[in-house]
């Protein structure tokens, strides 16, 4: 499959590190003019050095008021990846209201606000488009010490389905990807303990965590016309984990 995005403009949130950073690099490789939004200037600077054609946008998505200002000069966007998220690992009894608010502001509300801005432009231009929300396997199965994060990703799945319903008539497809643990900085938050890693990988029929490239390739497929009849789907990238009972 030779995916090309020549003549398309893409926006990736959380582009400074991990999955988002590699999505940006792949989009550039595939010919898309790519806007990279993140909240740490040094990450955007180093990404710009690697991919000089990107348009860096510094924005903290926790502040929903600043999102429209940050995106006001970004012009038309055909492809959107809502990737930015935080993971605060807490058990049911430890979960704090402030952490709930912080997590939902970034993982859920910003996904909605950014998508509203971008989809409005797509509809005005009658151009259609494709949106991918980066969710998690944690939305689909119970996961100890991930109460707030998992709930935020379940909300992302739900938002994805409603977006696909309301945006579909405008030829805008919306899908989510639900990766298992993927080797990035975020994964270190909850998955540094080898005992936990072993317990988790034993639930994955393929017996391992995901590589960033394995998540990026599914995102690119969902953005592309190769998935032109796929919308409203939440696609596990999990080596078979959510499909099995683990016995
Ligand atoms: P990561 O390595 O922590 O990178 C996240 C990126 O998002 C960073 O550049 C971060 O910037 C940015 N970001 C976070 N909060 C932001 C905010 N308020 N405003 C703007 N940018 C913000 O994470 P990752 O592992 O690549 O995760 C990417 C996506 O995959 C997330 O949606 C995550 O939930 C999902 N996911 C990850 C895994 C995993 O195991 N890694 C598994 C399933 C799903 P700063 O570093 O400057 O804060």
């Amino acid at each position: 499959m030779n995916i090309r995005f020549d003549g398309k403009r893409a926006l990736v949130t959380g582009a400074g590190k991990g999955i988002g950073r590699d999505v940006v690099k792949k989009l550039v490789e595939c010919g898309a003019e790519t806007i990279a939004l993140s909240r740490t200037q040094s990450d955007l600077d180093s990404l710009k050095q690697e991919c000089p054609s990107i348009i860096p946008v510094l924005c903290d998505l926790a502040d929903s008021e600043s999102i429209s200002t940050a995106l006001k000069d970004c012009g038309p966007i055909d492809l959107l990846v809502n990737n930015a998220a935080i993971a605060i690992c807490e058990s049911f009894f430890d979960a704090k209201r402030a952490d709930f608010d912080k997590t939902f502001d970034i993982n859920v509300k910003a996904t909605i606000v950014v998508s509203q801005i971008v989809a409005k432009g797509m509809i005005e231009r009658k151009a259609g488009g494709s949106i991918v929300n980066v969710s998690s396997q944690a939305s689909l199965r119970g996961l100890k010490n991930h109460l707030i994060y998992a709930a935020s990703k379940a909300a992302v799945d739900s938002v994805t389905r409603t977006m696909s319903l309301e945006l579909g008539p405008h030829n805008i497809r919306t899908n989510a990807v639900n990766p298992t643990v993927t080797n990035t900085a975020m994964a270190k938050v909850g998955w540094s303990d080898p005992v936990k890693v072993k317990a988790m990988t034993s639930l994955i029929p393929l017996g391992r965590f995901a590589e960033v490239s394995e998540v990026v390739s599914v995102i690119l497929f969902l953005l592309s016309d190769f998935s032109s009849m796929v919308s409203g789907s939440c696609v596990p990238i999990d080596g078979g984990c959510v499909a099995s009972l683990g016995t």
Side-chain angles (χ1 to χ4, degrees), residues 80-152:
L80 168 62
V81 183
N82 285 305
N83 165 77
I86 57 166
I88 300 172
C89 293
E90 287 169 337
S91 68
F92 173 68
F93 282 114
D94 287 339
K96 294 169 200 64
R97 185 182 295 209
D99 293 336
F100 179 92
D101 290 342
K102 200 171 158 190
T103 302
F104 271 68
D105 280 350
I106 297 168
N107 298 13
V108 187
K109 285 190 211 165
T111 294
I112 297 170
V113 172
V114 171
S115 299
Q116 284 171 332
I117 294 168
V118 169
K120 213 166 158 217
M122 289 171 174
I123 292 168
E124 278 164 9
R125 297 191 325 280
K126 298 188 183 352
S130 181
I131 299 172
V132 176
N133 297 328
V134 182
S135 180
S136 169
Q137 168 188 266
S139 75
L140 302 168
R141 296 280 293 267
L143 189 57
K144 270 185 194 162
N145 300 318
H146 284 72
L147 180 95
I148 293 171
Y149 176 74
S152 77

Side-chain angles (χ1 to χ4, degrees), residues 230-244:
V230 183
S231 193
S233 294
C234 297
V235 181
I237 308 171
D238 67 341
C241 184
V242 301
S244 83

Side-chain angles (χ1 to χ4, degrees), residues 50-215:
E50 278 187 72
C51 304
S53 69
I54 64 153
I55 301 160
V57 172
L58 188 68
C59 175
D60 184 348
L61 295 168
D63 173 12
S64 62
E65 299 301 313
S66 72
I67 297 175
S68 48
T69 312
L71 295 182
K72 108 176 129 40
D73 296 324
C74 282
I77 291 161
D78 309 289
L79 311 166
L80 168 62
V81 183
N82 285 305
N83 165 77
I86 57 166
I88 300 172
C89 293
E90 287 169 337
S91 68
F92 173 68
F93 282 114
D94 287 339
K96 294 169 200 64
R97 185 182 295 209
D99 293 336
F100 179 92
D101 290 342
K102 200 171 158 190
T103 302
F104 271 68
D105 280 350
I106 297 168
N107 298 13
V108 187
K109 285 190 211 165
T111 294
I112 297 170
V113 172
V114 171
S115 299
Q116 284 171 332
I117 294 168
V118 169
K120 213 166 158 217
M122 289 171 174
I123 292 168
E124 278 164 9
R125 297 191 325 280
K126 298 188 183 352
S130 181
I131 299 172
V132 176
N133 297 328
V134 182
S135 180
S136 169
Q137 168 188 266
S139 75
L140 302 168
R141 296 280 293 267
L143 189 57
K144 270 185 194 162
N145 300 318
H146 284 72
L147 180 95
I148 293 171
Y149 176 74
S152 77
K153 293 302 188 177
V156 168
D157 290 355
S158 173
V159 164
T160 301
R161 286 187 280 268
T162 304
M163 284 172 63
S164 82
L165 180 59
E166 297 195 14
L167 301 180
H170 302 283
N171 196 27
I172 301 167
R173 296 183 297 108
T174 310
N175 292 287
V177 292
N178 300 64
T180 187
V181 182
T182 308
N183 293 317
T184 68
M186 181 184 281
K188 293 194 180 81
V189 177
W191 303 100
S192 296
D193 175 357
V195 177
K196 275 172 115 187
V197 170
K198 193 155 184 290
M200 185 62 178
T201 49
S202 72
L203 294 173
I204 300 174
L206 291 185
R208 63 179 176 84
F209 290 159
E211 295 302 327
V212 171
S213 63
E214 293 172 312
V215 178

Side-chain angles (χ1 to χ4, degrees), residues 4-15:
R4 294 300 307 169
F5 294 118
D6 303 286
K8 302 273 187 202
R9 297 185 86 240
L11 168 63
V12 181
T13 71

